[in-house]
Amino acid sequence: MKAMKKIVCIALALLLTAALTVPALADEVDDIKKAGVLTVALSPDFSPMEFVDSTKTGQEQYVGFDVSLAQFIAGELGVALEIQAMNFDACQTAVAMDAVDLSISGYSWTESRAENFELSDYYYAGDNETEQVLLIRAADAEKYTSAEAFDGLDVGAQNASLQQMLVEEQLPGANLKIIGEIGVGVMELQAANIEALAVAKGNGEQIIANNPDLVICDWQFEVAAEYEANVVMLRKGETALLAAVNEALAKAYAAGYYGEWYDAALELAASEGALEVSVE
Ligand code: ARG
């Protein structure tokens, strides 16, 4: 009987050791380190967060605050950065489908994203998204000064964006027109195919600087504080990578890099080669 007990004890001990030595399933951080590259999806149509410097080619053409942040996170992991440029909605699909490691594309925290993705701690990119506004044609500035003024009119917003959500919630009388790329939305507005385009204010100011025929509407969206900062988007369950990203964010914040990156992005956005387009 005693011997039996002993055997059971040994068997249990062996089982326990085996369980402890099984490598943690899918530690994405290890995988990234082994591959030597961090793949990041972004939609480079959102200056100053991510845009294209048309004087450059290849990976170097992608610039902006989020690109600096992506480079920093890759550096902290000790790997190279590979940016994959695609439309904003496609970035989110790519994360969900595990086609990229993560996406950094000016994401506001939203309830539905928090449900469907892992979202990092907040990071603050200047005052880009402290206000959310409507771009309109300068000639219409007197005409559109209230939410009701847009009743029955076409208002554009980027697909799967915070701005889309804001139009749906705060301009219920308007016809929402989904735009794939912000640059296309700007052209639709200039061509009078839509009457307004919902954008982050910082982004809107960049667009106006290059398009003097457009202005920011007097009427603005009401924006809850939790939407003002940005977050990195990861696939649900990738908590090890999330922890590494949060650690990098804390380090960048403590080092005071956010302000530097934002100023550098604004400067680049004002330069010749800056384009508000993403590659097709
Ligand atoms: N912050 C807004 C959102 O979360 C807009 C982000 C747009 N980003 C971009 N790269 N186009 O939906």
Side-chain angles (χ1 to χ4, degrees):
M1 198 56 203
K2 242 189 181 165
M4 188 62 185
K5 244 187 190 166
K6 206 171 177 185
I7 289 169
V8 170
C9 272
I10 292 171
L12 274 178
L14 281 176
L15 264 180
L16 204 65
T17 329
L20 288 175
T21 50
V22 165
L25 270 183
D27 185 338
E28 57 280 3
V29 178
D30 282 348
D31 289 349
I32 290 166
K33 286 184 175 162
K34 249 180 249 153
V37 53
L38 177 75
T39 52
V40 175
L42 56 76
S43 166
D45 61 349
F46 194 54
S47 159
M49 301 307 286
E50 44 267 327
F51 53 106
V52 167
D53 177 351
S54 62
T55 65
K56 308 253 170 65
T57 54
Q59 286 286 304
E60 287 201 334
Q61 69 188 300
Y62 306 117
V63 292
F65 181 101
D66 284 338
V67 177
S68 302
L69 175 59
Q71 281 162 347
F72 181 78
I73 294 173
E76 287 298 298
L77 291 169
V79 298
L81 171 68
E82 184 191 312
I83 291 187
Q84 293 191 14
M86 56 191 90
N87 275 359
F88 189 61
D89 51 354
C91 288
Q92 297 167 59
T93 311
V95 173
M97 307 283 286
D98 204 18
V100 292
D101 295 319
L102 50 85
S103 180
I104 308 181
S105 204
Y107 295 107
S108 307
W109 181 94
T110 66
E111 291 82 355
S112 77
R113 286 176 185 159
E115 262 167 44
N116 295 306
F117 297 94
E118 299 294 342
L119 300 178
S120 74
D121 293 339
Y122 284 139
Y123 67 90
Y124 292 87
D127 54 3
N128 185 43
E129 299 219 49
T130 48
E131 292 170 71
Q132 303 290 340
V133 301
L134 286 172
L135 282 183
I136 54 174
R137 291 180 296 276
D140 294 335
E142 308 288 307
K143 211 157 109 192
Y144 302 140
T145 53
S146 67
E148 294 71 38
F150 294 98
D151 284 356
L153 302 183
D154 294 339
V155 175
Q158 187 163 42
N159 198 18
S161 70
L162 170 70
Q163 289 74 20
Q164 174 184 348
M165 187 181 105
L166 292 175
V167 171
E168 285 166 351
E169 288 176 1
Q170 295 180 36
L171 293 177
N175 307 320
L176 171 67
K177 293 281 167 191
I178 294 293
I179 306 288
E181 226 179 88
I182 293 174
V184 172
V186 170
M187 289 192 290
E188 297 278 13
L189 179 58
Q190 288 171 320
N193 291 332
I194 55 175
E195 294 308 302
L197 178 67
V199 292
K201 189 168 183 194
N203 179 231
E205 284 165 349
Q206 297 295 327
I207 294 169
I208 285 176
N210 298 319
N211 301 280
D213 54 327
L214 303 179
V215 292
I216 289 174
C217 183
D218 279 349
W219 180 86
Q220 302 201 351
F221 293 101
E222 263 175 50
V223 185
E226 59 260 39
Y227 302 141
E228 289 185 10
N230 287 142
V231 293
V232 176
M233 181 180 280
L234 300 91
R235 199 160 59 94
K236 201 80 188 164
E238 303 232 312
T239 49
L241 186 54
L242 176 67
V245 166
N246 282 336
E247 212 174 288
L249 287 175
K251 204 165 165 181
Y253 173 73
Y257 292 150
Y258 290 167
E260 279 174 36
W261 294 340
Y262 197 67
D263 290 346
L266 285 180
E267 208 166 293
L268 252 176
S271 75
E272 272 304 295
L275 278 186
E276 296 271 342
V277 296
S278 73
V279 275
E280 288 302 319

